[in-house]
Amino acid sequence: MLIIAGDIFDRAGPPQTALTRLRDFLVRATANPGLAIVVIAGNHDAAAQIGMLGVLAPIEKALIRGPLDANDLPMMLEDEHGSVAISALPFSYEFAARACFDAEDISCPADVIAAQVNAARDRVPAGARWIVVAHSFVEGAAPTDSERSLSRTVGGIETISAEIFDGAHYVALGHLHRAQSVGAPHIRYSGSPLAFGFDEEGQEKSLTLIDMGADGSIETTAIPLKPRRQARTIRGTLEELVAAPVGSEDFIRVVLTDETPQIDPMKRIRVLYPNAVQLSYERAERTLEEKLGEGRAAIDDPETLVSDFIEFVRGEAPGEIDTQLVNTLIHEARQEIEA
Ligand SMILES: [Mn+2]
């Protein structure tokens, strides 16, 4: 069985080339007559579009879930030890879950998942082992820079507790890009197959292979994925970088160590590195670090600290009146402390 726990695409309207690529992959995968496929929509996906993938396939071959459905049944598979039930729980926002489960009190991602898991648990036949597939952010897991928030409430809590999945023998999670178990070895993100940002540079990407025993115990093996193009950073002066003997098709972030701005640097870099996607000057980054260092040193000197803060916020140094006011207030505060 192959599980893809969303996101399938990175946007609700993927380009035709991405749809064709998914089609080609599914054709190759389903050519294996023994393979069952489980797919759920994630928060980046258009649920209806993902759901469409499954309507013509028999449920023992493909369990594809896009929009929520309160009457969803699990996929049932048999092995030499008995039955395994697989519940596929697509991502859903709170408003859709309230309508689907007819429950007005669903108000955060944890409530949505709890309603989905509880409905699914009721449909697992007695004695069957149980696998849950879900798209969520389990508390304690490590995110990266490019996962989109699961909550529509600004500042809303999007994490859920691992305990929501009580009773499941394995929980296959999508959403976070880093491969990791969270809370327990059987609650696991396989992680994204590729790096989606330079903060994922150097992360080992993998598929997770699960072997399930007669009692539902699991053994996991990471199968490494070696992408054709890595995401990585190169650093140096523009002259050094364009003098390299060979280039690369990798996705490149360029950090220039030149002290002065260079003319059209990206154009020159792309001759050797056609997939260079980001360029910055180390000078600018270092200046920020230095400023932070100075800020820390100035804590003993409140006049400078306040003056720096005003300059940071306004973009210009405080005037004479501001300075007098600040100095008076600091003087009064000092007297108060000493008194
Ligand atoms: Mn996601």
Side-chain angles (χ1 to χ4, degrees):
M1 176 177 55
L2 172 69
I3 298 174
I4 309 175
D7 294 287
I8 311 304
F9 299 111
D10 67 342
R11 68 197 73 172
Q16 292 297 312
T17 48
L19 286 162
T20 306
R21 177 92 22 133
L22 177 68
R23 175 203 171 274
D24 292 349
F25 169 75
L26 291 175
V27 166
R28 273 166 58 203
T30 50
N32 179 341
L35 184 76
I37 293 191
V38 178
V39 176
I40 58 169
N43 55 312
H44 288 254
D45 293 312
Q49 178 169 264
I50 301 304
M52 283 289 291
L53 290 171
V55 290
L56 298 178
I59 190 176
E60 68 277 10
K61 286 289 291 173
L63 178 64
I64 316 285
R65 293 291 178 254
L68 277 189
D69 183 343
N71 300 312
D72 264 354
L73 292 173
M75 175 193 261
M76 296 301 301
L77 294 181
E78 302 292 325
D79 65 8
E80 63 270 34
H81 310 299
S83 307
V84 180
I86 301 107
S87 301
L89 314 179
F91 173 78
S92 162
Y93 285 109
E94 295 87 333
F95 68 90
R98 280 194 289 271
C100 172
F101 294 107
D102 195 19
E104 274 310 307
D105 55 350
I106 292 177
S107 61
C108 63
D111 295 343
V112 176
I113 284 281
Q116 287 176 286
V117 172
N118 292 338
R121 190 184 282 116
D122 289 345
R123 297 200 168 91
V124 177
R129 287 158 289 164
W130 186 29
I131 296 174
V132 173
V133 182
H135 192 88
S136 48
F137 189 164
V138 177
E139 225 164 71
T144 60
D145 286 345
S146 41
E147 294 108 358
R148 190 183 298 164
S149 172
L150 296 179
S151 179
R152 283 213 167 157
T153 324
V154 174
I157 295 171
E158 56 176 321
T159 56
I160 64 166
S161 154
E163 285 154 23
I164 283 180
F165 300 110
D166 272 355
H169 295 92
Y170 189 74
V171 182
L173 292 168
H175 186 52
L176 299 184
H177 295 182
R178 183 190 297 274
Q180 58 194 306
S181 291
V182 52
H186 71 285
I187 301 176
R188 185 171 169 82
Y189 291 90
S190 63
S192 61
L194 298 171
F196 280 82
F198 289 100
D199 63 315
E200 296 175 51
E201 185 175 345
Q203 263 182 33
E204 291 276 334
K205 298 298 185 181
S206 58
L207 297 176
T208 304
L209 178 67
I210 308 301
D211 279 308
M212 186 171 273
D215 58 352
S217 62
I218 53 122
E219 243 175 70
T220 63
T221 314
I223 303 173
L225 289 173
K226 290 281 165 243
R228 191 182 298 170
R229 295 187 187 122
Q230 303 271 357
R232 62 188 178 91
T233 303
I234 58 173
R235 195 179 295 270
T237 64
L238 183 60
E239 285 313 319
E240 285 165 7
L241 295 179
V242 298
V246 282
S248 163
E249 304 245 307
D250 285 350
F251 296 113
I252 299 286
R253 172 174 67 159
V254 183
V255 180
L256 293 181
T257 56
D258 297 279
E259 289 297 326
T260 51
Q262 302 294 300
I263 295 165
D264 224 346
M266 201 49 141
K267 193 173 160 193
R268 295 185 62 197
I269 289 284
R270 282 192 175 144
V271 175
L272 276 175
Y273 302 97
N275 298 313
V277 289
Q278 200 179 310
L279 184 139
S280 62
Y281 287 87
E282 197 167 61
R283 188 171 48 104
E285 287 169 20
R286 199 177 58 228
T287 312
L288 183 66
E289 272 172 34
E290 278 169 4
K291 273 185 188 161
L292 288 171
E294 283 164 14
R296 274 190 289 275
I299 288 174
D300 289 338
D301 172 9
E303 286 87 352
T304 315
L305 187 67
V306 174
S307 155
D308 284 352
F309 176 74
I310 292 172
E311 188 172 345
F312 176 77
V313 172
R314 282 193 194 155
E316 62 181 61
E320 204 173 312
I321 297 172
D322 301 318
T323 309
Q324 272 177 17
L325 179 64
V326 168
N327 289 351
T328 309
L329 289 170
I330 289 173
H331 180 69
E332 281 174 16
R334 277 203 178 110
Q335 281 183 328
E336 221 167 276
I337 292 166
E338 280 159 20

